[in-house]
mmCIF file of all heavy atoms in Angstrom:
data_model
loop_
_atom_site.group_PDB
_atom_site.id
_atom_site.type_symbol
_atom_site.label_atom_id
_atom_site.label_comp_id
_atom_site.label_asym_id
_atom_site.label_seq_id
_atom_site.Cartn_x
_atom_site.Cartn_y
_atom_site.Cartn_z
ATOM 1 N N ILE D 258 145.398 92.048 -6.075
ATOM 2 C CA ILE D 258 145.063 93.094 -7.050
ATOM 3 C C ILE D 258 143.661 92.837 -7.582
ATOM 4 O O ILE D 258 143.147 91.719 -7.517
ATOM 5 C CB ILE D 258 146.080 93.162 -8.215
ATOM 6 C CG1 ILE D 258 146.146 91.830 -8.961
ATOM 7 C CG2 ILE D 258 147.447 93.578 -7.715
ATOM 8 C CD1 ILE D 258 146.999 91.877 -10.217
ATOM 9 N N ASN D 259 143.059 93.888 -8.121
ATOM 10 C CA ASN D 259 141.732 93.803 -8.718
ATOM 11 C C ASN D 259 141.850 93.134 -10.079
ATOM 12 O O ASN D 259 142.655 93.532 -10.905
ATOM 13 C CB ASN D 259 141.148 95.216 -8.856
ATOM 14 C CG ASN D 259 139.745 95.220 -9.412
ATOM 15 O OD1 ASN D 259 139.212 94.206 -9.836
ATOM 16 N ND2 ASN D 259 139.142 96.395 -9.408
ATOM 17 N N GLY D 260 141.024 92.120 -10.326
ATOM 18 C CA GLY D 260 141.050 91.408 -11.594
ATOM 19 C C GLY D 260 139.909 91.783 -12.516
ATOM 20 O O GLY D 260 139.778 91.215 -13.593
ATOM 21 N N GLY D 261 139.052 92.730 -12.117
ATOM 22 C CA GLY D 261 137.964 93.182 -12.985
ATOM 23 C C GLY D 261 136.593 92.827 -12.454
ATOM 24 O O GLY D 261 136.441 92.075 -11.492
ATOM 25 N N SER D 262 135.587 93.375 -13.121
ATOM 26 C CA SER D 262 134.190 93.179 -12.738
ATOM 27 C C SER D 262 133.334 93.056 -13.990
ATOM 28 O O SER D 262 133.670 93.617 -15.028
ATOM 29 C CB SER D 262 133.670 94.385 -11.941
ATOM 30 O OG SER D 262 134.396 94.557 -10.757
ATOM 31 N N ASP D 263 132.239 92.343 -13.855
ATOM 32 C CA ASP D 263 131.221 92.369 -14.905
ATOM 33 C C ASP D 263 129.861 92.408 -14.231
ATOM 34 O O ASP D 263 129.679 91.868 -13.144
ATOM 35 C CB ASP D 263 131.345 91.181 -15.870
ATOM 36 C CG ASP D 263 131.075 89.852 -15.219
ATOM 37 O OD1 ASP D 263 129.873 89.491 -15.124
ATOM 38 O OD2 ASP D 263 132.018 89.174 -14.813
ATOM 39 N N VAL D 264 128.925 93.098 -14.875
ATOM 40 C CA VAL D 264 127.614 93.339 -14.279
ATOM 41 C C VAL D 264 126.534 93.142 -15.330
ATOM 42 O O VAL D 264 126.692 93.557 -16.475
ATOM 43 C CB VAL D 264 127.518 94.788 -13.724
ATOM 44 C CG1 VAL D 264 126.129 95.080 -13.187
ATOM 45 C CG2 VAL D 264 128.554 95.030 -12.643
ATOM 46 N N VAL D 265 125.428 92.530 -14.911
ATOM 47 C CA VAL D 265 124.226 92.423 -15.732
ATOM 48 C C VAL D 265 123.112 93.110 -14.945
ATOM 49 O O VAL D 265 122.888 92.797 -13.772
ATOM 50 C CB VAL D 265 123.861 90.950 -16.001
ATOM 51 C CG1 VAL D 265 122.546 90.852 -16.763
ATOM 52 C CG2 VAL D 265 124.980 90.250 -16.747
ATOM 53 N N TYR D 266 122.439 94.067 -15.585
ATOM 54 C CA TYR D 266 121.375 94.815 -14.918
ATOM 55 C C TYR D 266 120.019 94.182 -15.207
ATOM 56 O O TYR D 266 119.799 93.623 -16.274
ATOM 57 C CB TYR D 266 121.379 96.276 -15.371
ATOM 58 C CG TYR D 266 122.630 97.003 -14.947
ATOM 59 C CD1 TYR D 266 123.691 97.198 -15.831
ATOM 60 C CD2 TYR D 266 122.760 97.480 -13.648
ATOM 61 C CE1 TYR D 266 124.847 97.849 -15.430
ATOM 62 C CE2 TYR D 266 123.912 98.127 -13.241
ATOM 63 C CZ TYR D 266 124.942 98.311 -14.141
ATOM 64 O OH TYR D 266 126.083 98.955 -13.732
ATOM 65 N N GLY D 267 119.124 94.277 -14.244
ATOM 66 C CA GLY D 267 117.779 93.723 -14.384
ATOM 67 C C GLY D 267 116.727 94.796 -14.203
ATOM 68 O O GLY D 267 116.734 95.805 -14.901
ATOM 69 N N ALA D 268 115.863 94.600 -13.210
ATOM 70 C CA ALA D 268 114.772 95.543 -12.948
ATOM 71 C C ALA D 268 115.340 96.918 -12.598
ATOM 72 O O ALA D 268 116.334 97.011 -11.873
ATOM 73 C CB ALA D 268 113.910 95.030 -11.796
ATOM 74 N N PRO D 269 114.722 97.984 -13.084
ATOM 75 C CA PRO D 269 115.213 99.322 -12.747
ATOM 76 C C PRO D 269 114.917 99.671 -11.288
ATOM 77 O O PRO D 269 113.981 99.153 -10.686
ATOM 78 C CB PRO D 269 114.427 100.235 -13.691
ATOM 79 C CG PRO D 269 113.182 99.476 -14.001
ATOM 80 C CD PRO D 269 113.563 98.023 -13.968
ATOM 81 N N ILE D 270 115.750 100.538 -10.733
ATOM 82 C CA ILE D 270 115.512 101.051 -9.377
ATOM 83 C C ILE D 270 114.615 102.273 -9.502
ATOM 84 O O ILE D 270 114.903 103.192 -10.271
ATOM 85 C CB ILE D 270 116.841 101.425 -8.686
ATOM 86 C CG1 ILE D 270 117.715 100.185 -8.503
ATOM 87 C CG2 ILE D 270 116.561 102.099 -7.337
ATOM 88 C CD1 ILE D 270 119.092 100.476 -7.919
ATOM 89 N N ARG D 271 113.544 102.271 -8.729
ATOM 90 C CA ARG D 271 112.573 103.376 -8.748
ATOM 91 C C ARG D 271 112.494 104.004 -7.363
ATOM 92 O O ARG D 271 112.862 103.386 -6.366
ATOM 93 C CB ARG D 271 111.196 102.856 -9.142
ATOM 94 C CG ARG D 271 111.171 102.186 -10.495
ATOM 95 C CD ARG D 271 109.773 101.663 -10.824
ATOM 96 N NE ARG D 271 109.761 100.892 -12.050
ATOM 97 C CZ ARG D 271 109.753 101.402 -13.272
ATOM 98 N NH1 ARG D 271 109.768 102.693 -13.440
ATOM 99 N NH2 ARG D 271 109.742 100.616 -14.332
ATOM 100 N N ALA D 272 111.985 105.215 -7.326
ATOM 101 C CA ALA D 272 111.775 105.888 -6.046
ATOM 102 C C ALA D 272 110.889 105.007 -5.169
ATOM 103 O O ALA D 272 109.906 104.441 -5.637
ATOM 104 C CB ALA D 272 111.134 107.255 -6.260
ATOM 105 N N GLY D 273 111.270 104.849 -3.898
ATOM 106 C CA GLY D 273 110.532 104.025 -2.954
ATOM 107 C C GLY D 273 111.083 102.615 -2.807
ATOM 108 O O GLY D 273 110.753 101.917 -1.845
ATOM 109 N N ASP D 274 111.912 102.169 -3.754
ATOM 110 C CA ASP D 274 112.484 100.826 -3.665
ATOM 111 C C ASP D 274 113.436 100.702 -2.484
ATOM 112 O O ASP D 274 114.159 101.637 -2.152
ATOM 113 C CB ASP D 274 113.262 100.467 -4.938
ATOM 114 C CG ASP D 274 112.376 100.059 -6.101
ATOM 115 O OD1 ASP D 274 111.150 99.934 -5.912
ATOM 116 O OD2 ASP D 274 112.924 99.862 -7.206
ATOM 117 N N VAL D 275 113.444 99.525 -1.875
ATOM 118 C CA VAL D 275 114.414 99.160 -0.844
ATOM 119 C C VAL D 275 115.248 98.045 -1.464
ATOM 120 O O VAL D 275 114.707 97.014 -1.884
ATOM 121 C CB VAL D 275 113.730 98.689 0.451
ATOM 122 C CG1 VAL D 275 114.756 98.168 1.453
ATOM 123 C CG2 VAL D 275 112.914 99.826 1.058
ATOM 124 N N ILE D 276 116.553 98.247 -1.538
ATOM 125 C CA ILE D 276 117.439 97.316 -2.218
ATOM 126 C C ILE D 276 118.235 96.512 -1.195
ATOM 127 O O ILE D 276 118.776 97.057 -0.240
ATOM 128 C CB ILE D 276 118.409 98.069 -3.164
ATOM 129 C CG1 ILE D 276 117.622 98.972 -4.131
ATOM 130 C CG2 ILE D 276 119.304 97.093 -3.916
ATOM 131 C CD1 ILE D 276 116.617 98.272 -5.012
ATOM 132 N N ARG D 277 118.302 95.197 -1.432
ATOM 133 C CA ARG D 277 119.122 94.311 -0.609
ATOM 134 C C ARG D 277 120.280 93.822 -1.468
ATOM 135 O O ARG D 277 120.087 93.398 -2.608
ATOM 136 C CB ARG D 277 118.313 93.119 -0.114
ATOM 137 C CG ARG D 277 119.154 92.159 0.726
ATOM 138 C CD ARG D 277 118.334 90.952 1.198
ATOM 139 N NE ARG D 277 119.179 90.001 1.891
ATOM 140 C CZ ARG D 277 119.486 90.045 3.175
ATOM 141 N NH1 ARG D 277 118.995 91.006 3.939
ATOM 142 N NH2 ARG D 277 120.268 89.136 3.718
ATOM 143 N N SER D 278 121.477 93.894 -0.920
ATOM 144 C CA SER D 278 122.677 93.420 -1.597
ATOM 145 C C SER D 278 123.224 92.233 -0.826
ATOM 146 O O SER D 278 123.321 92.284 0.397
ATOM 147 C CB SER D 278 123.726 94.537 -1.626
ATOM 148 O OG SER D 278 124.970 94.036 -2.040
ATOM 149 N N GLU D 279 123.557 91.161 -1.548
ATOM 150 C CA GLU D 279 124.226 90.007 -0.932
ATOM 151 C C GLU D 279 125.482 89.705 -1.731
ATOM 152 O O GLU D 279 125.434 89.606 -2.952
ATOM 153 C CB GLU D 279 123.335 88.762 -0.943
ATOM 154 C CG GLU D 279 122.401 88.684 0.205
ATOM 155 C CD GLU D 279 121.775 87.302 0.374
ATOM 156 O OE1 GLU D 279 122.137 86.352 -0.345
ATOM 157 O OE2 GLU D 279 120.904 87.193 1.252
ATOM 158 N N THR D 280 126.599 89.566 -1.021
ATOM 159 C CA THR D 280 127.868 89.194 -1.644
ATOM 160 C C THR D 280 128.190 87.769 -1.213
ATOM 161 O O THR D 280 128.228 87.473 -0.026
ATOM 162 C CB THR D 280 128.992 90.148 -1.206
ATOM 163 O OG1 THR D 280 128.631 91.485 -1.569
ATOM 164 C CG2 THR D 280 130.309 89.772 -1.857
ATOM 165 N N ARG D 281 128.386 86.889 -2.215
ATOM 166 C CA ARG D 281 128.681 85.485 -1.946
ATOM 167 C C ARG D 281 130.029 85.105 -2.534
ATOM 168 O O ARG D 281 130.425 85.609 -3.584
ATOM 169 C CB ARG D 281 127.622 84.586 -2.587
ATOM 170 C CG ARG D 281 126.264 84.662 -1.962
ATOM 171 C CD ARG D 281 125.287 83.736 -2.688
ATOM 172 N NE ARG D 281 123.962 84.300 -2.715
ATOM 173 C CZ ARG D 281 123.520 85.219 -3.560
ATOM 174 N NH1 ARG D 281 124.300 85.681 -4.488
ATOM 175 N NH2 ARG D 281 122.300 85.671 -3.488
ATOM 176 N N LEU D 282 130.688 84.177 -1.883
ATOM 177 C CA LEU D 282 131.908 83.600 -2.413
ATOM 178 C C LEU D 282 131.503 82.691 -3.564
ATOM 179 O O LEU D 282 130.772 81.730 -3.377
ATOM 180 C CB LEU D 282 132.615 82.818 -1.305
ATOM 181 C CG LEU D 282 133.907 82.119 -1.651
ATOM 182 C CD1 LEU D 282 134.918 83.079 -2.270
ATOM 183 C CD2 LEU D 282 134.482 81.468 -0.413
ATOM 184 N N HIS D 283 131.932 83.005 -4.777
ATOM 185 C CA HIS D 283 131.463 82.301 -5.972
ATOM 186 C C HIS D 283 132.410 81.197 -6.446
ATOM 187 O O HIS D 283 131.983 80.083 -6.699
ATOM 188 C CB HIS D 283 131.228 83.314 -7.093
ATOM 189 C CG HIS D 283 130.643 82.738 -8.329
ATOM 190 N ND1 HIS D 283 131.412 82.358 -9.399
ATOM 191 C CD2 HIS D 283 129.359 82.461 -8.661
ATOM 192 C CE1 HIS D 283 130.626 81.878 -10.343
ATOM 193 N NE2 HIS D 283 129.383 81.932 -9.924
ATOM 194 N N SER D 284 133.708 81.519 -6.582
ATOM 195 C CA SER D 284 134.620 80.487 -7.095
ATOM 196 C C SER D 284 136.073 80.814 -6.789
ATOM 197 O O SER D 284 136.429 81.965 -6.534
ATOM 198 C CB SER D 284 134.447 80.320 -8.604
ATOM 199 O OG SER D 284 134.822 81.492 -9.292
ATOM 200 N N TYR D 285 136.879 79.771 -6.840
ATOM 201 C CA TYR D 285 138.340 79.876 -6.746
ATOM 202 C C TYR D 285 138.930 79.187 -7.968
ATOM 203 O O TYR D 285 138.409 78.158 -8.422
ATOM 204 C CB TYR D 285 138.880 79.134 -5.513
ATOM 205 C CG TYR D 285 138.564 79.750 -4.177
ATOM 206 C CD1 TYR D 285 137.740 79.092 -3.277
ATOM 207 C CD2 TYR D 285 139.128 80.962 -3.795
ATOM 208 C CE1 TYR D 285 137.482 79.624 -2.023
ATOM 209 C CE2 TYR D 285 138.869 81.499 -2.546
ATOM 210 C CZ TYR D 285 138.050 80.838 -1.672
ATOM 211 O OH TYR D 285 137.798 81.361 -0.430
ATOM 212 N N ARG D 286 140.032 79.726 -8.465
ATOM 213 C CA ARG D 286 140.781 79.080 -9.537
ATOM 214 C C ARG D 286 142.261 79.346 -9.295
ATOM 215 O O ARG D 286 142.652 80.467 -8.974
ATOM 216 C CB ARG D 286 140.352 79.645 -10.893
ATOM 217 C CG ARG D 286 140.903 78.857 -12.056
ATOM 218 C CD ARG D 286 140.358 79.340 -13.383
ATOM 219 N NE ARG D 286 141.100 80.526 -13.767
ATOM 220 C CZ ARG D 286 140.576 81.630 -14.272
ATOM 221 N NH1 ARG D 286 139.299 81.721 -14.462
ATOM 222 N NH2 ARG D 286 141.322 82.652 -14.602
ATOM 223 N N GLU D 287 143.067 78.327 -9.431
ATOM 224 C CA GLU D 287 144.503 78.465 -9.220
ATOM 225 C C GLU D 287 145.227 78.531 -10.553
ATOM 226 O O GLU D 287 144.792 77.940 -11.531
ATOM 227 C CB GLU D 287 145.027 77.289 -8.412
ATOM 228 C CG GLU D 287 144.453 77.252 -7.012
ATOM 229 C CD GLU D 287 144.950 76.076 -6.222
ATOM 230 O OE1 GLU D 287 146.116 76.140 -5.753
ATOM 231 O OE2 GLU D 287 144.187 75.113 -6.074
ATOM 232 N N LYS D 288 146.332 79.281 -10.542
ATOM 233 C CA LYS D 288 147.127 79.462 -11.738
ATOM 234 C C LYS D 288 148.555 79.773 -11.307
ATOM 235 O O LYS D 288 148.773 80.246 -10.196
ATOM 236 C CB LYS D 288 146.539 80.646 -12.523
ATOM 237 C CG LYS D 288 146.822 80.668 -13.964
ATOM 238 C CD LYS D 288 146.000 81.770 -14.625
ATOM 239 C CE LYS D 288 146.353 81.792 -16.088
ATOM 240 N NZ LYS D 288 145.658 82.818 -16.803
ATOM 241 N N THR D 289 149.506 79.552 -12.180
ATOM 242 C CA THR D 289 150.878 79.929 -11.893
ATOM 243 C C THR D 289 151.269 81.060 -12.829
ATOM 244 O O THR D 289 151.059 80.976 -14.044
ATOM 245 C CB THR D 289 151.836 78.729 -12.084
ATOM 246 O OG1 THR D 289 151.415 77.690 -11.208
ATOM 247 C CG2 THR D 289 153.264 79.122 -11.748
ATOM 248 N N GLY D 290 151.819 82.122 -12.259
ATOM 249 C CA GLY D 290 152.257 83.279 -13.042
ATOM 250 C C GLY D 290 153.741 83.528 -12.852
ATOM 251 O O GLY D 290 154.436 82.747 -12.192
ATOM 252 N N ARG D 291 154.218 84.642 -13.391
ATOM 253 C CA ARG D 291 155.640 84.999 -13.243
ATOM 254 C C ARG D 291 156.061 85.115 -11.793
ATOM 255 O O ARG D 291 157.204 84.863 -11.448
ATOM 256 C CB ARG D 291 155.928 86.331 -13.942
ATOM 257 C CG ARG D 291 155.971 86.256 -15.431
ATOM 258 C CD ARG D 291 156.397 87.575 -16.030
ATOM 259 N NE ARG D 291 155.467 88.623 -15.600
ATOM 260 C CZ ARG D 291 155.782 89.882 -15.429
ATOM 261 N NH1 ARG D 291 157.006 90.310 -15.649
ATOM 262 N NH2 ARG D 291 154.889 90.762 -15.057
ATOM 263 N N MET D 292 155.129 85.530 -10.933
ATOM 264 C CA MET D 292 155.435 85.747 -9.520
ATOM 265 C C MET D 292 155.190 84.487 -8.677
ATOM 266 O O MET D 292 155.303 84.527 -7.470
ATOM 267 C CB MET D 292 154.590 86.890 -8.973
ATOM 268 C CG MET D 292 154.662 88.165 -9.785
ATOM 269 S SD MET D 292 156.105 89.142 -9.479
ATOM 270 C CE MET D 292 155.721 89.840 -7.920
ATOM 271 N N GLY D 293 154.798 83.394 -9.323
ATOM 272 C CA GLY D 293 154.548 82.154 -8.595
ATOM 273 C C GLY D 293 153.080 81.794 -8.576
ATOM 274 O O GLY D 293 152.306 82.210 -9.441
ATOM 275 N N PRO D 294 152.651 81.040 -7.551
ATOM 276 C CA PRO D 294 151.257 80.600 -7.472
ATOM 277 C C PRO D 294 150.305 81.781 -7.298
ATOM 278 O O PRO D 294 150.602 82.725 -6.560
ATOM 279 C CB PRO D 294 151.216 79.703 -6.241
ATOM 280 C CG PRO D 294 152.600 79.546 -5.772
ATOM 281 C CD PRO D 294 153.455 80.548 -6.451
ATOM 282 N N MET D 295 149.177 81.717 -8.001
ATOM 283 C CA MET D 295 148.152 82.760 -7.907
ATOM 284 C C MET D 295 146.812 82.117 -7.600
ATOM 285 O O MET D 295 146.533 81.006 -8.063
ATOM 286 C CB MET D 295 148.016 83.519 -9.230
ATOM 287 C CG MET D 295 149.229 84.269 -9.667
ATOM 288 S SD MET D 295 148.951 85.296 -11.136
ATOM 289 C CE MET D 295 148.148 84.219 -12.273
ATOM 290 N N LEU D 296 145.983 82.830 -6.844
ATOM 291 C CA LEU D 296 144.623 82.385 -6.562
ATOM 292 C C LEU D 296 143.673 83.443 -7.113
ATOM 293 O O LEU D 296 143.723 84.608 -6.709
ATOM 294 C CB LEU D 296 144.412 82.201 -5.059
ATOM 295 C CG LEU D 296 143.032 81.706 -4.656
ATOM 296 C CD1 LEU D 296 142.739 80.340 -5.275
ATOM 297 C CD2 LEU D 296 142.912 81.646 -3.142
ATOM 298 N N ILE D 297 142.838 83.033 -8.038
ATOM 299 C CA ILE D 297 141.844 83.927 -8.636
ATOM 300 C C ILE D 297 140.521 83.642 -7.932
ATOM 301 O O ILE D 297 140.014 82.521 -7.968
ATOM 302 C CB ILE D 297 141.750 83.689 -10.150
ATOM 303 C CG1 ILE D 297 143.116 83.970 -10.783
ATOM 304 C CG2 ILE D 297 140.657 84.555 -10.763
ATOM 305 C CD1 ILE D 297 143.289 83.453 -12.180
ATOM 306 N N THR D 298 140.003 84.658 -7.268
ATOM 307 C CA THR D 298 138.785 84.528 -6.469
ATOM 308 C C THR D 298 137.693 85.391 -7.074
ATOM 309 O O THR D 298 137.922 86.553 -7.388
ATOM 310 C CB THR D 298 139.039 84.971 -5.016
ATOM 311 O OG1 THR D 298 140.153 84.239 -4.497
ATOM 312 C CG2 THR D 298 137.822 84.747 -4.142
ATOM 313 N N VAL D 299 136.509 84.809 -7.231
ATOM 314 C CA VAL D 299 135.365 85.551 -7.766
ATOM 315 C C VAL D 299 134.286 85.612 -6.695
ATOM 316 O O VAL D 299 133.924 84.584 -6.106
ATOM 317 C CB VAL D 299 134.806 84.890 -9.048
ATOM 318 C CG1 VAL D 299 133.586 85.647 -9.565
ATOM 319 C CG2 VAL D 299 135.885 84.815 -10.124
ATOM 320 N N THR D 300 133.793 86.825 -6.439
ATOM 321 C CA THR D 300 132.632 87.002 -5.566
ATOM 322 C C THR D 300 131.461 87.427 -6.434
ATOM 323 O O THR D 300 131.635 88.089 -7.459
ATOM 324 C CB THR D 300 132.879 88.055 -4.462
ATOM 325 O OG1 THR D 300 133.295 89.281 -5.056
ATOM 326 C CG2 THR D 300 133.909 87.579 -3.461
#
């Protein structure tokens, strides 16, 4: 399931800009919930 998102904006996008996006594996955290073991993954 989706656990949410947060975003910080920087330089504005202007006409003529070429944007590069990179998605990286950031972190893992384990937890136990009602349904058993859970893995919280952040990209």
Side-chain angles (χ1 to χ4, degrees):
I258 59 173
N259 183 353
S262 299
D263 65 84
V264 176
V265 176
Y266 295 99
I270 297 176
R271 301 179 186 281
D274 282 354
V275 174
I276 306 301
R277 179 181 175 86
S278 169
E279 275 194 5
T280 302
R281 291 179 214 81
L282 179 54
H283 185 264
S284 65
Y285 290 114
R286 190 174 80 223
E287 295 179 77
K288 204 171 178 181
T289 301
R291 286 186 302 150
M292 308 280 285
M295 297 187 311
L296 181 60
I297 300 165
T298 306
V299 178
T300 55

